[in-house]
Every structure is written in structure tokens, then in C-alpha cells.
């Protein structure tokens, strides 16, 4: 229901079994169940329920009345919505084939829709899109993050022109915590959400580009991401859909898009939402410790995501068009996080077989990246195993003085080697592979 009608902010449902009726309330924060009423044995309470339902207004049933629907000529579906906010009258073309909706109940529910606005004119030759998103209230809003991004872009060529520019933004007053506060539920604000709308120039995904141009746009996004990370702006959701582009007279301009899961250095952990898109997340973050929040999201995780995005595009697309099914990596998007981690490990451990369409420079780059991840990730795993064995050995009681000394030195050395490298060091290793392709078999 939420994805089919952007003007819905909650839904009320009823289920009946025998002579008991249950009330269910759904919104982007989750589900509330009011418990069952036996409409035969507890008829007075049931009549009170009907009396209350009779008096609900349209907004009480879940309609955001700020959005005005307009039907098509036949009258069987909504063609577009209009909304007057912030001194602007927006026309949201919700039936457009270019609309992209995020499915799921307890989520941001991002909806990207073509939009027109007479007051804004043609601020972009490519057109404009509206992004509607139920952001967590405990996080800094995307528009706030982007203000910092724009300021960083002023002094950095690797960022300027490579990030989205907000043309208009608005925050709706309704919070999902309101009903939970009224019902006096425990922790009503935990995971609470609010609807935001932002207008951007229209961008296109880099996956639709020809191989060499795609690589150029991808690398521009890598450099932009690193500069922002160093400036304290951590994107944390590198994915195929978040790497975009537009064209200028000078050529392609890669754009690092979608900052609604980004954070600022020093904010600490915020929000209750896992950050990342499963097929492109770092293996460590896909495992149980990563999913439960016991692993800090650091630069090397996003670096790994960039590699997975590049591999995904090269395997799943040919000259900018999606290849025919069965596609080799589709399974990554069909399993849960731990299952995806296993699939990626299998991918790294087995002999790499490139699809027939993947030839030329990008084939060599994929080989380089796969070899790099094998060396980089497996080395850390082996160090962790060696440290675990040394710690276990240290607890054994039959060690000589010399053996105790050797094990203590070994533990110290292994612990030092497991200390996280600096962001600069990780980026240096990453870009050296991109530039030299030293791991590739294709010279």
C-alpha cells in the first residue's frame, strides 16, 4: 500500500477469526497490534470501536491530505499528485515509468519521482526529480548533511560537481512517534521517522554507461567519496543505484548520490537502521557482528563496497544494458546478509571466470580487484585466527619460560598488525590497484 500510493503515511487493518477482531496499525516505524475484541462476548467495547471509526477523518485513516491526487482520463488510477508546500506547487508524476520506489514497511521508503514546478522553472536541462523519504529523526537529515557536502565542494575539485545539489527541501510535521506517545508505549521515539521531500536535478545511473566511460564516472565517485570521508562526511551506503552521472561539454561527471544514511564524524552511532545495501556491503558488515552493530563502519568497508559495485556492473551489464537471465550475481540480492557474505566469500575463493561479454580493460580491472580483495581480506582473517590460537596457547600450563616469552611477543606483533590502517593508507593501496592493475593477469 505504501509503495502504490505516496500519499499514505499509515494504514489501519483488521483481521477477524471466529468472533474476535484484531486491529493492526502500520507505519514506517513498524507495527502496532491493539489486541483482540470478542464482538459477541464484549459487544459494548466493539460498538465503541465502531463509533470511533465512524468519526475518523481522512488523515486519521492514513491519507496525507497535503498530496492531492489526480486521476487519469479513465478514472481508474492516479496519474499524478500535486502539493503546495514552502511556497512551491509541485507536480509529482507518480505514474511515470521512471519512478523508483523502495519496498518494505519498516524502512526509509525512499520514492524518487519525476517532478515539475512552474515557480522553479527549468533549473536543470535534464529535468528534476523529487525524493520522498521517511528519515529517522535521530539521524541528521539528508538536507543537513548535503549543506556540509556543498561547503566541502567549494574547496575541492574532486567533490565540486560530483555531488547532488538540493534545489528545494521540506520537512513534514507528522512524526511516527506521535501515536506511540498517545498510547504510552515504551520508547515511543526509538526508530521514529518523519517524511522529507527534496528536489534534485535528474541524474542517471552509471550502470547504463559504456565500459570505459562507466569506469571514469566510477573512479570520480571514488575520489569524491574519499575527499568527503577525510572531511568528516561518511557516506556509508555505496551501491550501484547511488553512483550516478550527468554529461557536460567536457564529458561525463560521476555523482556520489543519496546521503540519507550518511553521518558526520563525531556524531557517534545514530539511528536504528542498518547502513548499506546488501549486495554491495563489505563482507565483515554482512556477518552477525556487523549486522548487530558490534563492528564500526570505517573507510575500508566503503572501499570494499566500491569494488563490489564495479564487479556487479561488469558482470550484470553489457555496454550499459542488463544481460539476459540467468545473471551470474543475481543470487547476491536474493539472500539475507549472512547468505550474501557466504556467496561473496565463495566468489573470492573459487577460480574467477569472467562472463563472455566482459572483455577489454574492465575485465582486467575486475581481475585486479578480485585478487586485491583476496589478499587484503584473507590476510586479516588469517591474522585474527593466528592471534586467537596464540591467546589460547598462552593459557596452557605446560609452557617453558622461553615459550611464554615467544608467545607474548607473537601476541604483541599480531595485535599490532591487526590495528586498523589509516584511511590514507587504505586509499593508497586501493588506488594503486586502480592505476597499476598490479594484481591483474592481463598485462
Amino acid at each position: 500500500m505504501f509503495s502504490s500510493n505516496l500519499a499514505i503515511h499509515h494504514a489501519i487493518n483488521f483481521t477477524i477469526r471466529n468472533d474476535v477482531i484484531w486491529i493492526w496499525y502500520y507505519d514506517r516505524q513498524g507495527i502496532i497490534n491493539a489486541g483482540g475484541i470478542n464482538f459477541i462476548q464484549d459487544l459494548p467495547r466493539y460498538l465503541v470501536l465502531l463509533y470511533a471509526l465512524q468519526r475518523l477523518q481522512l488523515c486519521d485513516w492514513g491519507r496525507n491530505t497535503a498530496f492531492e491526487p489526480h486521476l487519469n482520463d479513465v478514472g481508474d488510477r492516479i496519474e499524478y499528485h500535486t502539493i503546495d508546500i514552502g511556497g512551491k506547487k509541485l507536480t509529482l508524476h507518480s505514474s511515470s515509468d521512471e519512478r523508483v520506489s523502495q519496498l518494505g514497511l519498516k524502512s526509509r521508503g525512499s520514492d524518487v519521482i519525476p517532478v515539475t514546478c512552474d515557480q522553479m522553472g527549468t533549473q536543470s536541462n535534464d529535468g528534476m526529480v523529487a525524493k520522498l523519504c521517511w528519515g529517522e529523526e535521530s539521524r541528521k537529515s539528508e538536507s543537513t548533511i548535503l549543506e556540509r557536502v556543498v561547503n566541502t565542494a567549494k574547496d575541492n575539485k574532486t567533490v565540486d560537481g560530483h555531488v547532488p545539489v538540493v534545489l528545494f527541501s521540506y520537512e513534514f510535521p507528522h512524526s511516527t512517534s506521535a501515536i506511540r506517545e498517545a498510547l504510552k508505549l515504551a520508547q515511543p521515539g526509538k526508530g521514529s521517522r518523519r517524511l522529507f521531500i527534496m528536489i534534485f536535478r535528474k541524474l542517471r545511473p552509471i550502470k547504463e554507461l559504456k565500459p570505459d566511460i562507466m569506469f571514469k564516472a566510477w573512479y570520480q565517485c571514488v575520489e569524491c567519496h574519499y575527499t568527503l570521508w577525510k572531511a568528516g562526511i561518511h557516506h556509508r551506503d555505496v551501491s550501484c543505484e547511488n553512483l550516478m552521472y550527468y554529461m557536460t561539454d567536457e564529458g561525463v561527471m560521476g555523482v556520489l548520490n543519496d546521503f540519507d544514511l550518511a553521518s558526520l564524524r563525531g556524531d557517534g552511532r545514530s539511528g536504528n537502521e542498518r547502513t548499506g545495501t546488501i549486495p554491495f556491503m563489505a563482507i565483515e558488515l554482512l556477518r552477525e557482528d556487523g549486522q548487530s552493530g558490534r563492528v564500526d563502519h570505517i573507510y575500508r568497508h566503503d572501499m570494499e563496497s566500491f569494488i563490489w559495485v564495479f564487479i556487479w556492473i561488469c558482470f550484470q551489464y553489457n555496454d550499459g544494458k542488463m544481460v539476459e537471465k540467468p545473471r551470474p550475481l543475481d543470487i547476491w540480492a536474493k539472500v539475507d546478509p549472512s547468505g550474501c557474505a557466504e556467496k561473496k566469500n565463495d566468489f573470492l575463493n573459487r577460480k574467477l571466470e569472467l562472463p563472455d561479454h566482459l572483455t577489454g580493460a574492465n575485465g582486467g580491472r575486475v581481475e585486479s580487484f578480485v585478487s586485491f580483495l583476496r589478499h587484503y581480506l584473507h590476510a586479516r582473517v588469517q591474522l585474527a585466527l593466528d592471534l586467537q590460537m596464540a591467546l589460547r596457547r598462552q593459557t596452557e600450563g605446560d609452557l617453558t619460560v622461553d615459550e611464554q616469552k615467544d608467545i607474548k611477543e607473537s601476541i604483541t606483533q599480531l595485535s599490532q598488525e591487526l590495528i586498523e590502517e589509516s584511511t590514507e593508507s587504505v586509499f593508497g593501496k586501493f588506488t594503486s590497484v586502480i592505476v597499476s592493475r598490479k594484481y591483474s593477469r592481463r598485462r
Side-chain angles (χ1 to χ4, degrees):
M1 178 177 288
F2 289 114
S3 62
S4 63
N5 191 338
L6 57 87
I8 298 294
H9 54 61
H10 70 258
I12 300 174
N13 192 18
F14 305 91
T15 55
I16 299 175
R17 183 177 180 183
N18 297 326
D19 52 1
V20 178
I21 183 170
W22 284 269
I23 308 170
W24 299 85
Y25 178 96
Y26 308 86
D27 63 16
R28 292 296 183 181
Q29 190 174 342
I31 301 173
I32 301 173
N33 174 225
I37 299 175
N38 189 305
F39 49 78
I40 294 178
Q41 299 178 11
D42 198 356
L43 182 60
R45 183 180 297 184
Y46 178 62
L47 292 176
V48 170
L49 170 64
L50 295 180
Y51 183 83
L53 293 175
Q54 255 187 339
R55 281 149 182 78
L56 292 184
Q57 302 296 315
L58 198 57
C59 59
D60 300 321
W61 284 106
R63 262 287 307 277
N64 187 335
T65 53
F67 293 86
E68 183 179 351
H70 299 265
L71 301 179
N72 61 8
D73 293 337
V74 180
D76 60 352
R77 69 166 184 163
I78 297 173
E79 188 74 19
Y80 61 93
H81 289 82
T82 55
I83 180 170
D84 285 295
I85 49 174
K88 304 282 193 298
K89 183 172 183 178
L90 307 177
T91 300
L92 303 168
H93 301 276
S94 46
S95 64
S96 170
D97 293 336
E98 295 183 339
R99 177 181 174 183
V100 179
S101 301
Q102 180 192 54
L103 302 180
L105 176 62
K106 191 177 179 180
S107 67
R108 292 167 286 159
S110 296
D111 224 328
V112 180
I113 307 167
V115 62
T116 52
C117 175
D118 291 339
Q119 294 97 324
M120 297 177 70
T122 55
Q123 296 197 28
S124 167
N125 293 330
D126 300 319
M128 300 182 297
V129 294
K131 178 181 179 180
L132 285 77
C133 176
W134 286 87
E136 280 195 83
E137 292 183 296
S138 58
R139 292 185 185 275
K140 278 189 169 60
S141 69
E142 185 173 10
S143 58
T144 301
I145 298 284
L146 285 172
E147 287 178 10
R148 175 87 170 266
V149 169
V150 170
N151 288 332
T152 304
K154 294 176 182 176
D155 303 316
N156 293 277
K157 292 182 179 180
T158 55
V159 179
D160 187 26
H162 298 287
V163 290
V165 177
V166 180
L167 304 177
F168 173 79
S169 66
Y170 182 81
E171 177 181 340
F172 288 84
H174 173 78
S175 170
T176 58
S177 66
I179 187 171
R180 291 163 176 83
E181 292 170 358
L183 294 172
K184 297 184 174 7
L185 300 182
Q187 296 181 298
K190 184 178 181 180
S192 63
R193 297 177 181 275
R194 189 181 297 268
L195 181 61
F196 297 84
I197 182 169
M198 289 173 288
I199 308 297
F200 300 95
R201 71 176 296 173
K202 185 178 177 182
L203 302 169
R204 303 295 305 176
I206 68 169
K207 64 188 180 184
E208 69 179 29
L209 291 169
K210 299 289 184 179
D212 288 342
I213 304 176
M214 183 276 289
F215 170 73
K216 183 177 180 180
W218 173 86
Y219 187 49
Q220 290 171 349
C221 293
V222 170
E223 292 185 306
C224 173
H225 175 278
Y226 172 71
T227 303
L228 291 175
W229 193 282
K230 290 288 291 176
I233 304 165
H234 301 167
H235 189 277
R236 306 199 307 168
D237 187 20
V238 176
S239 71
C240 187
E241 302 303 327
N242 290 343
L243 304 188
M244 312 292 281
Y245 80 94
Y246 63 95
M247 301 301 295
T248 67
D249 293 339
E250 288 73 33
V252 70
M253 294 287 283
V255 176
L256 182 64
N257 199 36
D258 199 351
F259 283 77
D260 56 1
L261 288 182
S263 64
L264 300 179
R265 185 191 299 135
D267 282 352
R269 254 191 205 122
S270 62
N272 292 276
E273 193 170 4
R274 165 187 57 78
T275 55
T277 304
I278 289 177
F280 312 108
M281 289 175 68
I283 291 175
E284 187 176 27
L285 296 180
L286 289 169
R287 295 196 172 111
E288 183 179 351
D289 282 352
Q291 289 294 295
S292 61
R294 293 192 293 270
V295 176
D296 288 333
H297 193 137
I298 57 179
Y299 175 75
R300 66 175 172 86
H301 295 131
D302 275 13
M303 174 208 72
E304 187 181 331
S305 291
F306 271 110
I307 294 176
W308 292 124
V309 167
F310 188 80
I311 292 172
W312 176 278
I313 294 175
C314 289
F315 271 64
Q316 304 283 93
Y317 291 82
N318 180 18
D319 274 346
K321 297 180 180 179
M322 185 173 281
V323 300
E324 296 293 328
K325 292 183 178 181
R327 289 179 284 272
L329 304 183
D330 276 354
I331 188 63
W332 292 4
K334 296 179 181 179
V335 293
D336 62 12
S338 62
C340 188
E342 291 179 9
K343 295 297 180 184
K344 287 182 175 180
N345 264 327
D346 292 343
F347 180 84
L348 293 177
N349 291 331
R350 69 173 185 261
K351 181 181 178 182
L352 178 63
E353 296 182 2
L354 300 180
D356 293 339
H357 69 264
L358 184 52
T359 58
N362 279 357
R365 290 174 180 130
V366 167
E367 289 179 335
S368 297
F369 288 143
V370 170
S371 297
F372 171 69
L373 283 182
R374 282 174 182 161
H375 286 81
Y376 191 85
L377 299 181
H378 292 179
R380 290 192 62 83
V381 171
Q382 190 59 54
L383 284 171
L385 290 174
D386 291 345
L387 178 59
Q388 189 178 23
M389 291 178 63
L391 290 170
R392 188 181 298 116
R393 178 69 173 142
Q394 189 181 40
T395 62
E396 297 176 0
D398 59 344
L399 298 175
T400 66
V401 174
D402 288 341
E403 286 175 330
Q404 290 177 352
K405 182 180 178 181
D406 290 343
I407 290 177
K408 186 176 180 179
E409 290 176 353
S410 178
I411 290 173
T412 300
Q413 181 181 348
L414 289 168
S415 299
Q416 288 292 325
E417 292 180 19
L418 273 172
I419 293 175
E420 291 292 348
E421 296 179 83
S422 67
T423 298
E424 295 87 346
S425 175
V426 175
F427 180 72
K429 290 180 178 179
F430 181 29
T431 52
S432 71
V433 176
I434 297 173
V435 174
S436 68
R437 290 168 52 191
K438 63 181 179 180
Y439 289 92
S440 176
R441 297 192 302 270
R442 299 185 181 194
R443 300 295 182 183

